[in-house]
Amino acid sequence: MGKTPNQLIDSKQKIVVLRWGHRVHRDSRLTTHCALTSRAMCASGFILADVEDKSIEKTVKSITKHWGGNFTFEMGTNWRSVVRDWKNQGGIVVHLTAYGENIQTSNVISRIRETGKNILLLVGSQKVPGEFYSTEISDFNIGVGNQPHSECSALAIFLDRFFEGIELTVEFEKAKVKIIPQKHGKNIKVNEEKT
């Protein structure tokens, strides 16, 4: 008997997304979408570096509580110390940038998988420091296409390519709410025992 989607995800490297450059009054909606995309597409956690935004924390924790999963959320931590600690614990750092190796035309995803190491995925909000591109910070620089686009779309495409689509069928543990897919209309199941 084959593995379930949940077992396949659990057997892969863990991914934590680090959001850099968030501007509290300007980027809240997009950063929230990056966090929710990370969670929905099976990243293990999200770090909002260097700043605190309680509205994002509240939204992410509420979604996780109702929709399930073991997604962690951290904020206010200095990005340099996160990167240093991550590397000291044996992980690798992947920087999503339009200037990186093209995700489609290179074998970069295979090379990341072959490391077998957990991944800290850097996602910028504004122009990132030049050092993000260096080997001192990033082990891999990946471009999801090499055109200007949303960091949220790059994040979603990277996670989908890395997890090979199985993240789209994972059943989230401790979910109180679940969408039942259908051709037309809406069908939402609420688990009364867990509410």
Side-chain angles (χ1 to χ4, degrees), residues 74-113:
E74 179 183 324
M75 61 183 176
T77 310
N78 176 271
W79 74 267
R80 279 189 176 86
S81 44
V82 172
V83 168
R84 183 187 61 242
D85 293 348
W86 192 267
K87 288 190 169 214
N88 286 342
Q89 293 169 16
I92 60 170
V93 176
V94 175
H95 175 210
L96 291 182
T97 170
Y99 304 100
E101 294 181 73
N102 188 289
I103 198 169
Q104 178 65 28
T105 60
S106 74
N107 66 348
V108 68
I109 292 288
S110 296
R111 286 184 283 130
I112 290 169
R113 279 196 202 104

Side-chain angles (χ1 to χ4, degrees), residues 53-65:
D53 192 322
K54 295 291 186 184
S55 66
I56 295 173
E57 178 184 41
K58 181 180 177 184
T59 299
V60 172
K61 288 188 174 182
S62 176
I63 293 289
T64 303
K65 178 181 176 184

Side-chain angles (χ1 to χ4, degrees), residues 7-193:
Q7 290 169 327
L8 287 169
I9 289 289
D10 288 344
S11 69
K12 293 199 179 263
Q13 295 145 282
K14 301 297 179 204
I15 297 175
V16 172
V17 176
L18 183 138
R19 174 74 159 161
W20 181 88
H22 171 77
R23 295 156 290 191
V24 175
H25 298 294
R26 180 175 173 179
D27 298 324
S28 289
R29 187 171 173 85
L30 188 51
T31 297
T32 300
H33 288 179
C34 286
L36 295 180
T37 297
S38 300
R39 183 201 152 275
M41 299 190 77
C42 293
S44 300
F46 190 88
I47 300 169
L48 180 55
D50 300 311
V51 297
E52 294 193 6
D53 192 322
K54 295 291 186 184
S55 66
I56 295 173
E57 178 184 41
K58 181 180 177 184
T59 299
V60 172
K61 288 188 174 182
S62 176
I63 293 289
T64 303
K65 178 181 176 184
H66 290 93
W67 292 83
N70 297 311
F71 188 72
T72 62
F73 181 87
E74 179 183 324
M75 61 183 176
T77 310
N78 176 271
W79 74 267
R80 279 189 176 86
S81 44
V82 172
V83 168
R84 183 187 61 242
D85 293 348
W86 192 267
K87 288 190 169 214
N88 286 342
Q89 293 169 16
I92 60 170
V93 176
V94 175
H95 175 210
L96 291 182
T97 170
Y99 304 100
E101 294 181 73
N102 188 289
I103 198 169
Q104 178 65 28
T105 60
S106 74
N107 66 348
V108 68
I109 292 288
S110 296
R111 286 184 283 130
I112 290 169
R113 279 196 202 104
E114 286 169 8
T115 69
K117 297 178 178 183
N118 290 335
I119 301 160
L120 180 66
L121 192 58
L122 301 181
V123 178
S125 171
Q126 52 185 303
K127 185 178 179 181
V128 301
E131 62 191 303
F132 270 38
Y133 300 92
S134 73
T135 53
E136 190 176 311
I137 301 298
S138 300
D139 299 292
F140 298 90
N141 289 287
I142 296 184
V144 174
N146 300 102
Q147 293 287 324
H149 60 282
S150 164
E151 59 269 27
C152 195
S153 65
L155 174 62
I157 291 168
F158 174 84
L159 292 170
D160 187 59
R161 293 287 178 100
F162 183 81
F163 289 125
E164 302 176 289
I166 58 176
E167 80 285 355
L168 301 176
T169 59
V170 166
E171 295 282 331
F172 284 81
E173 295 174 6
K174 301 179 236 164
K176 298 176 184 177
V177 181
K178 180 181 177 183
I179 293 173
I180 309 302
Q182 55 187 34
K183 288 184 180 180
H184 301 285
K186 295 180 185 179
N187 189 355
I188 297 174
K189 179 181 175 184
V190 178
N191 187 341
E192 299 296 335
E193 295 173 16

